[in-house]
Amino acid sequence: MLMTIPSIVCAQSGLGILEQHFTAHGQEEWNQVRSVSVDGKWVDEDYRAYTMKLTMKRPDKIRLEGTYNGKNYAEGYNGLVAWVVAPWRDDYEVQRMDEGEEIIIRSVFSLGSPLYEAREHLEFTGLMDMEGVLYNTFTLEEGSYKKVFYLDRDNHRLYYELIENKFGTETVSVLKVIDKYKAYGPLLVPTSVIFEGLDLEREFVFDEIYLGTGANDAIFDYPEGQ
């Protein structure tokens, strides 16, 4: 009986932390939102900023588009395939994304907390250090994917997300850093997110958020015939 008490207490405290986290992010209200459109920009490792429009639709469809050095670019994920057509590529034509690019587009934005959809598969992994600060952490392992979420112990907001994915014998690791948040009523939205890892660093800045704008599923699909 004594042997089981620590695990029970750990499970209960983890569940309570998760509930406070969802409340802090306004998840109940986010669950009513089916799609969003975001105006902003992305910033490369040389601190050059480029226009960006982000469109997201439940459950996990996302598209980024804008201009880069005077030419259009587009990136998309339809729930199965991640693709890109961009002037920074060797060939200015639609292509499948590489591993790091796919991790970024699938993680760049979420309708509320990214922990919510995975809530039944999360493991509370206690306190972990990130850059000298202790955070409550939850870990998700699904197939080749592993994610560790770092929640602030006081305000319960998500500030770091460590993402690992195995592609064959290679493991790709990316750290997502959420810099700041802005509240739109009960809805909590990051103002910027930074991805660090591999040979790239990207920052996405979200200036204006529009809820329920709708989106045709076709805009997320791999553009055939291009």
Side-chain angles (χ1 to χ4, degrees), residues 15-31 112-120 122 151 155-157 186 188:
L15 181 59
I17 291 168
L18 205 56
E19 290 175 347
Q20 292 177 87
H21 165 69
F22 292 144
T23 299
H25 280 248
Q27 192 60 50
E28 184 175 346
E29 287 77 15
W30 270 115
N31 290 344
S113 168
L115 285 78
Y116 185 74
E117 296 299 330
R119 63 194 182 281
E120 295 181 0
L122 294 171
L151 310 184
N155 62 27
H156 310 294
R157 295 178 177 183
L188 199 64

Side-chain angles (χ1 to χ4, degrees), residues 138-185:
F138 290 84
T139 299
L140 171 68
E141 294 194 56
E142 288 186 332
S144 62
Y145 256 98
K146 178 181 178 181
K147 296 185 178 183
V148 183
F149 303 95
Y150 293 75
L151 310 184
D152 187 275
R153 289 183 294 161
D154 295 323
N155 62 27
H156 310 294
R157 295 178 177 183
L158 173 67
Y159 282 104
Y160 295 94
E161 185 177 340
L162 181 62
I163 309 164
E164 295 181 348
N165 195 11
K166 292 181 179 179
F167 295 88
T169 59
E170 180 183 4
T171 299
V172 177
S173 180
V174 176
L175 179 66
K176 176 183 176 181
V177 182
I178 300 174
D179 185 23
K180 296 178 181 178
Y181 284 96
K182 181 177 180 179
Y184 292 82

Side-chain angles (χ1 to χ4, degrees), residues 31-212:
N31 290 344
Q32 310 306 313
V33 178
R34 309 309 303 171
S35 62
V36 299
S37 177
V38 181
D39 289 337
K41 52 187 172 289
W42 69 268
V43 183
D44 66 16
E45 59 271 20
D46 297 318
Y47 304 105
R48 291 174 297 195
Y50 305 95
T51 62
M52 178 198 71
K53 178 182 177 181
L54 181 153
T55 305
M56 186 169 192
K57 184 177 182 180
R58 287 192 185 275
D60 54 2
K61 299 177 186 291
I62 190 164
R63 177 186 174 103
L64 303 178
E65 57 190 310
T67 57
Y68 175 91
N69 289 343
K71 290 187 176 181
N72 295 334
Y73 72 86
E75 301 175 298
Y77 178 70
N78 66 356
L80 296 172
V81 177
W83 55 270
V84 55
V85 53
W88 60 79
R89 286 292 193 110
D90 292 336
D91 296 313
Y92 189 39
E93 60 185 31
V94 63
Q95 304 169 57
R96 292 287 186 97
M97 283 189 171
D98 63 29
E99 293 87 350
E101 290 173 320
E102 181 174 334
I103 287 176
I104 289 175
I105 196 168
R106 291 177 62 178
S107 308
V108 66
F109 197 86
S110 61
L111 301 178
S113 168
L115 285 78
Y116 185 74
E117 296 299 330
R119 63 194 182 281
E120 295 181 0
H121 306 286
L122 294 171
E123 177 187 359
F124 179 52
T125 40
L127 293 174
M128 288 190 189
D129 177 273
M130 177 61 75
E131 299 186 351
V133 178
L134 289 177
Y135 293 85
N136 288 312
T137 64
F138 290 84
T139 299
L140 171 68
E141 294 194 56
E142 288 186 332
S144 62
Y145 256 98
K146 178 181 178 181
K147 296 185 178 183
V148 183
F149 303 95
Y150 293 75
L151 310 184
D152 187 275
R153 289 183 294 161
D154 295 323
N155 62 27
H156 310 294
R157 295 178 177 183
L158 173 67
Y159 282 104
Y160 295 94
E161 185 177 340
L162 181 62
I163 309 164
E164 295 181 348
N165 195 11
K166 292 181 179 179
F167 295 88
T169 59
E170 180 183 4
T171 299
V172 177
S173 180
V174 176
L175 179 66
K176 176 183 176 181
V177 182
I178 300 174
D179 185 23
K180 296 178 181 178
Y181 284 96
K182 181 177 180 179
Y184 292 82
L187 306 178
L188 199 64
V189 180
T191 57
S192 69
V193 298
I194 301 169
F195 289 89
E196 302 172 347
L198 305 173
D199 297 323
L200 56 84
E201 179 174 318
R202 272 201 187 185
E203 178 180 2
F204 295 87
V205 179
F206 308 131
D207 294 322
E208 297 291 340
I209 312 292
Y210 307 95
L211 304 179

